[in-house]
Amino acid sequence: MACSTIMWLDEVNATVEFEPVGTHPGHRRRGLARAMLLHGMRLARAAGARHATVACAGAPGHPAARALYQGVGFREISRDAPLAKPATAA
């Protein structure tokens, strides 16, 4: 598999979320993810979606992913701060 995503359609809020989005390292920089996202947005619009979201985990550490998403029209609306709790001994 060269590229994949899962689209989650929220019909009540007319929103689609792409998550996860990924391209095999041997197939990057060929426009596959861009084509997949654009096609997915067309399908989502046909299904009634008016908004689309994508999560870019660790966005500052993934400038190529950010550039991809911005290149197809996504814009940053928030930055999540991951929280972790170390396991405690039982």
Side-chain angles (χ1 to χ4, degrees), residues 52-84:
T53 62
V54 64
C56 184
H62 300 286
R66 275 196 335 268
L68 164 67
Y69 302 138
Q70 290 170 345
V72 296
F74 288 96
R75 61 183 170 74
E76 184 177 311
I77 58 171
S78 71
R79 289 193 184 199
D80 294 337
L83 303 175

Side-chain angles (χ1 to χ4, degrees), residues 2 8-11 14 18 24 26 28 33-34 37 39 42 51-52 54 59 63-64 67 70 73 75 82-83:
W8 303 93
L9 178 63
D10 179 345
E11 294 172 352
F18 292 90
H24 184 281
R28 291 184 180 151
R34 177 182 173 80
L37 288 168
H39 181 66
R42 283 191 294 273
H51 307 279
V54 64
Q70 290 170 345
R75 61 183 170 74
L83 303 175

Side-chain angles (χ1 to χ4, degrees), residues 13-29:
N13 293 302
T15 299
V16 64
E17 178 181 2
F18 292 90
E19 192 280 320
V21 176
T23 303
H24 184 281
H27 296 281
R28 291 184 180 151
R29 309 287 311 158

